Amino acid sequence: MEEKQAGRSHKLVVNNRKTSLVTGVLDVLSFDLNEILLETEQGMLMVKGSDLHVNRLSLEKGEVDLAGTIDSMSYSEVHAPGRQSANILSKLFR
């Protein structure tokens, strides 16, 4: 938990639904013309639209510039594999 707090801040700026700047990006998991999936400091970010492009990517700075027609952006939580099962076991053996 402390590792996330010490990480980069996350910011999302959308200009006229045509361009977007995203900071606090940890990884680009997938992208095509209709969908881009980013792992950010605040969870998974799904960008949907048409004619989407990654114009600039700097993982050292944690920045991504997107272009295209943006229809929607949605977040989901990141769940580390195995972490949930560890929590269940710790609750059983209290």
Side-chain angles (χ1 to χ4, degrees):
M1 186 65 113
E2 292 174 10
E3 184 178 309
K4 271 197 169 185
Q5 292 173 347
R8 302 175 206 124
S9 66
H10 173 62
K11 181 169 59 171
L12 174 62
V13 179
V14 179
N15 298 311
N16 296 322
R17 292 182 55 197
K18 296 294 181 192
T19 61
S20 178
L21 168 66
V22 185
T23 64
V25 175
L26 302 174
D27 200 4
V28 177
L29 300 177
S30 68
F31 65 93
D32 60 34
L33 292 174
N34 299 315
E35 186 175 279
I36 299 173
L37 182 60
L38 305 172
E39 181 181 357
T40 74
E41 294 284 341
Q42 297 294 312
M44 305 302 289
L45 174 62
M46 174 77 66
V47 181
K48 292 186 179 183
S50 58
D51 200 28
L52 296 174
H53 299 281
V54 175
N55 283 343
R56 185 179 63 89
L57 169 63
S58 173
L59 289 179
E60 291 92 25
K61 293 181 180 179
E63 297 178 350
V64 175
D65 285 341
L66 307 175
T69 303
I70 299 169
D71 293 333
S72 70
M73 297 181 134
S74 61
Y75 286 93
S76 61
E77 291 296 320
V78 177
H79 298 288
R83 186 167 172 93
Q84 187 176 10
S85 61
N87 288 340
I88 293 171
L89 288 176
S90 66
K91 288 179 182 178
L92 287 174
F93 293 109
R94 282 190 183 178

